[in-house]
């Protein structure tokens, strides 16, 4: 069979897989099943060499032993535990009191809370559902425009895809790293500088915060131009609160998630921990927060545990805690004994938190949800790995390389086409399929064009975030539709997210014009 016929067969395979996914078949089994089906057909007609499939066990084993992917179930556990511990409810209530006297204050509060939850949970479904249940009825009751309310909640909920720590960035970082290694080897560089998940976390921080600013700006402009769409509110009970009571209420709501954000992101950006180790810190922190929320009257054991964790992080940064050394200085020995005491305190605090969440029946539900989500992710990874092997065996990778390199406009044309393809696929496919099907195909080709891998990863992440808002299969739309009051029409949700989709596209354009927004912070932090 000629090369052209093999490439046409690869295109048919890709189109058929997309068709099966649109029809609603399970993603993981569709990817793996389509790959096997077209692989066998290709082998029969002489278009495919089955030796490509022989590499599949090594791929599965590589996925099982990939330390980066261990962060996925840990971040999922952190997000689900925080959802159950009612952190979002306290945040929304406090932010509503703080900004409620402003026009559009509730909408601004939703954007800020969405950013804080994104930096502490990173799970879109939990954030959208929680804010839909808590803030949407309040916004409607206060006279907010239904479309503006729905759009703000959906958009703020998707910030967990771009603001670290994000499961998207963890999965994307693994794929970008592999693609960058392949691209460098293809041009003769056998010892390339590694691209880590931490690089993507640092690179996505400024673009993510920029999106939050754009969202708040849109809500504020809407409130200024259409005051009836986003009126100000003020409760008499809130008006009677003193300044000290307001500060105390705000601190009680803000301190727990801020401490967790500092512990997770701070440990990564300062180099104290890898993203996987920071995910473990986040899971423990979420467990402690859950225990503190459940027995609010007995907070001191958990607060003492948080203090011990902070001391341990500082010691790990500034003191050599290794005990297997010939000589240990007096200062190091003091630090080691302080770390031992802090470790004991942390174990006691974790045990107390486990007792509380177990007795309330929360731990069982959190573990079940974590197992279900993590299993879904890893089964999709296996299916996508088989798909990419068969697609490569059919000559699809060479076809994509020739297509992108021969486009008019060079690097700009190739990036524009890839971003458009991902944007369109986001209307129908989930971000995990796009990451594990499209990125391994186009990533090495783009990175061979001397594109910065961190900038490419952040561009793809921001594009994938848009897929949660685009109908007909935007997941944020489904999440909100499931918890919205009956009087909210589906068309109101679609109408409300349209301006935020445009904001996403503007954000992509700004990031494309100034790549330094994604590359400056990683260069400053990691060199």
């Amino acid at each position: 069979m000629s090369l052209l016929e093999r490439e046409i067969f690869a295109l048919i395979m890709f189109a058929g897989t997309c068709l099966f996914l649109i029809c609603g078949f399970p993603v993981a089994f569709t990817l793996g099943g389509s790959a096997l089906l077209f692989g066998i057909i290709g082998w029969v007609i002489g278009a495919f060499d089955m030796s490509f499939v022989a590499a599949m066990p090594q791929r599965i084993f590589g996925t099982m032993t990939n330390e980066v992917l261990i962060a996925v179930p840990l971040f999922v556990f952190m997000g689900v535990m925080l959802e159950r511990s009612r952190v979002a409810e306290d945040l929304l209530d406090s932010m509503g009191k703080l900004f409620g006297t402003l026009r559009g204050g509730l909408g601004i509060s939703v954007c800020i809370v969405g950013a804080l939850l994104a930096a502490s949970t990173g799970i879109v479904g939990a954030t959208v559902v929680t804010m839909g249940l808590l803030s949407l009825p309040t916004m409607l009751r206060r006279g907010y425009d239904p479309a503006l309310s729905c759009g703000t909640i959906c958009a703020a909920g998707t910030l967990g895809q771009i603001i670290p720590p994000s499961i998207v960035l963890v999965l994307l970082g693994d794929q970008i790293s592999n693609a960058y290694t392949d691209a460098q080897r293809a041009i003769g560089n056998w010892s390339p500088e590694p691209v880590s998940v931490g690089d993507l976390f640092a690179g996505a921080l400024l673009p993510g915060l920029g999106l939050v600013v754009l969202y708040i700006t849109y809500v504020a402009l809407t409130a200024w131009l259409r005051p009836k769409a986003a009126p100000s509110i003020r409760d008499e009970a809130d008006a009677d609160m003193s300044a000290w009571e307001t500060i105390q209420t705000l601190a009680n709501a803000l301190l727990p998630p801020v401490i967790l954000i500092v512990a997770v992101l701070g440990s990564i950006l300062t180099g104290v921990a890898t993203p996987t180790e920071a995910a473990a810190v986040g899971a423990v922190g979420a467990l402690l927060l859950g225990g503190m929320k459940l027995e609010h009257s007995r907070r001191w054991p958990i607060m003492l545990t948080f203090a011990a964790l902070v001391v341990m992080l500082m010691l790990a940064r500034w003191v050599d805690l290794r005990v297997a050394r010939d000589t240990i200085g007096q200062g190091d020995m003091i630090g080691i004994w302080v770390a031992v005491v802090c470790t004991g305190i942390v174990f006691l605090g974790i045990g107390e938190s486990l007792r509380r969440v177990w007795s309330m029946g929360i731990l069982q539900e959190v573990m079940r949800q974590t197992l279900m989500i993590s299993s879904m992710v890893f089964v999709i990874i296996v299916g996508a790995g088989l798909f990419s092997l068969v697609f490569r065996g059919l000559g699809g990778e060479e076809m994509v390389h020739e297509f992108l390199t021969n486009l008019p406009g060079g690097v700009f044309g190739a990036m524009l086409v890839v971003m458009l393809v991902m944007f369109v696929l986001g209307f129908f496919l989930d971000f995990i399929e796009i990451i594990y099907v499209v990125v391994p195909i186009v990533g090495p080709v783009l990175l061979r064009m001397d594109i910065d891998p961190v900038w490419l990863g952040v561009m793809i992440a921001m594009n994938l975030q848009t897929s949660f808002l685009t109908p007909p299969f935007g997941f944020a739309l489904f999440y909100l539709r499931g918890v919205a009051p009956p009087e909210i029409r589906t068309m109101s949700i679609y109408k409300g997210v349209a301006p935020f989709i445009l904001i996403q596209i503007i954000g992509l354009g700004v990031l494309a014009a100034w790549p330094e927004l994604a590359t400056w912070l990683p260069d400053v932090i990691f060199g």
Side-chain angles (χ1 to χ4, degrees):
M1 180 174 282
S2 67
L3 179 61
L4 178 60
E5 291 173 331
R6 290 173 58 204
E7 291 176 346
I8 292 175
F9 192 71
L11 282 177
I12 294 174
M13 170 187 167
F14 187 84
T17 303
C18 292
L19 180 62
F20 291 144
L21 290 172
I22 292 172
C23 291
F25 289 97
V27 174
F29 304 117
T30 298
L31 293 173
S34 299
L36 284 177
L37 175 63
F38 282 91
I40 292 173
I41 295 174
W43 176 64
V44 171
I45 64 178
F48 180 69
D49 185 356
M50 290 299 286
S51 62
F52 279 89
V53 182
M56 192 60 203
Q58 286 81 6
R59 285 214 169 187
I60 296 176
F61 184 75
T63 300
M64 293 168 57
T65 57
N66 191 333
E67 293 184 3
V68 173
L69 296 180
I70 297 175
V72 173
L74 292 173
F75 279 134
V76 172
F77 177 89
M78 182 178 73
V80 178
M81 179 62 75
L82 286 176
E83 178 197 359
R84 297 294 188 271
S85 63
R86 303 178 68 182
V87 171
E89 183 175 347
D90 292 345
L91 278 174
L92 283 168
D93 183 59
S94 299
M95 288 297 171
K97 293 175 181 177
L98 185 62
F99 293 99
T101 56
L102 302 175
R103 286 183 185 175
L106 280 179
I108 295 173
S109 301
V110 167
C111 293
I112 295 175
V113 171
L116 290 172
L117 292 178
S120 54
T121 65
I123 298 181
V124 171
T127 305
V128 173
V129 169
T130 302
M131 292 198 298
L133 288 171
L134 298 176
S135 61
L136 183 57
T138 302
M139 296 174 80
L140 296 177
R141 189 170 61 252
R142 299 292 187 174
Y144 269 65
D145 179 69
L148 176 64
S149 304
C150 295
T152 305
I153 292 172
C154 288
T158 62
L159 290 170
Q161 299 299 94
I162 187 66
I163 295 180
S166 163
I167 295 175
V168 170
L169 294 176
V170 174
L171 300 177
L172 193 57
D174 180 59
Q175 290 301 301
I176 290 292
S177 177
N178 295 335
Y180 183 67
T181 302
D182 293 342
Q184 291 297 301
R185 289 175 178 173
I187 62 177
N189 181 9
W190 295 93
S191 57
E193 290 290 332
V195 180
S196 67
V197 175
D199 292 326
L200 282 190
F201 277 13
L205 193 57
L206 290 180
L209 295 177
L211 275 181
V212 178
V213 173
L214 289 176
Y215 290 169
I216 292 176
T217 302
Y218 169 72
V219 173
L221 285 175
T222 302
W224 180 53
L225 296 174
R226 298 164 51 205
K228 292 184 178 180
S232 62
I233 63 170
R234 185 165 182 86
D235 288 334
E236 292 300 325
D238 298 339
D240 294 337
M241 292 180 63
S242 65
W244 171 248
E245 290 173 334
T246 302
I247 293 173
Q248 191 175 21
T249 302
L250 189 61
N252 288 334
L254 278 177
L255 276 180
V258 168
I259 290 173
L260 190 61
I261 292 168
V262 170
V264 176
L265 285 184
S267 60
I268 295 173
L269 299 181
T270 57
V272 173
T274 66
T276 301
E277 294 166 345
V281 172
V284 171
L287 177 64
L288 293 173
L289 285 180
M292 184 173 66
K293 288 286 184 180
L294 290 176
E295 292 188 18
H296 197 72
S297 58
R298 293 183 65 249
R299 301 171 58 185
W300 66 266
I302 311 302
M303 298 300 294
L304 184 62
T305 304
F306 277 124
L309 279 172
V310 172
V311 171
M312 290 175 66
L313 287 173
M314 295 171 63
L315 288 173
R317 180 66 175 173
W318 293 321
V319 179
D320 188 351
L321 298 178
R322 294 175 301 161
V323 295
R325 289 184 285 161
D326 295 333
T327 58
I328 301 177
Q330 184 177 4
D332 289 345
M333 181 58 69
I334 294 174
I336 290 171
W337 279 111
V338 172
V340 170
V341 173
C342 290
T343 302
I345 295 173
V346 169
F347 274 114
L348 290 175
I350 292 174
E352 174 65 14
S353 294
L354 282 172
R355 182 194 67 79
R356 296 181 184 184
V357 296
W358 175 269
S359 62
M360 298 293 291
I362 293 176
L363 183 62
Q364 299 91 317
E365 180 63 24
V366 171
M367 295 295 290
R368 187 179 298 111
Q369 289 291 324
T370 302
L371 179 62
M372 290 174 59
I373 296 173
S374 302
S375 300
M376 176 197 70
V377 170
F378 282 96
V379 172
I380 291 175
I381 291 174
V382 171
L386 180 57
F387 180 90
S388 64
L389 279 175
V390 176
F391 188 81
R392 181 174 297 178
L394 291 172
E397 187 175 10
E398 291 82 359
M399 175 188 61
V400 172
H401 179 266
E402 292 178 5
F403 173 74
L404 291 179
T405 53
N406 292 326
L407 281 172
V411 176
F412 174 79
M415 275 294 296
L416 180 61
V417 169
V418 169
M419 290 294 109
L420 285 175
V421 169
M422 287 188 174
F423 181 77
V424 173
L425 288 177
F427 281 76
F428 311 102
L429 304 181
D430 190 14
F431 70 93
I432 302 177
E433 299 96 88
I434 298 176
I435 289 175
Y436 279 92
V437 174
V438 180
V439 174
I441 296 172
V442 303
V445 180
L446 292 175
L447 292 172
R448 266 187 255 178
M449 299 178 179
D450 200 25
I451 291 176
D452 188 281
V454 175
W455 175 70
L456 176 62
V458 177
M459 285 284 291
I460 293 174
M462 189 177 291
N463 200 340
L464 294 179
Q465 180 193 351
T466 312
S467 68
F468 277 82
L469 298 175
T470 49
F473 298 119
F475 283 90
L477 312 181
F478 286 134
Y479 294 143
L480 186 62
R481 176 68 276 177
V483 298
E487 62 267 20
I488 293 294
R489 298 180 302 165
T490 302
M491 192 53 62
S492 295
I493 300 177
Y494 288 173
K495 180 182 176 183
V497 299
F500 291 95
I501 295 173
L502 181 60
I503 291 174
Q504 291 281 138
I505 296 173
I506 293 172
L508 271 174
V510 172
L511 184 58
W514 291 283
E516 294 79 11
L517 289 171
T519 59
W520 175 77
L521 192 58
D523 289 341
V524 170
I525 295 175
F526 303 114

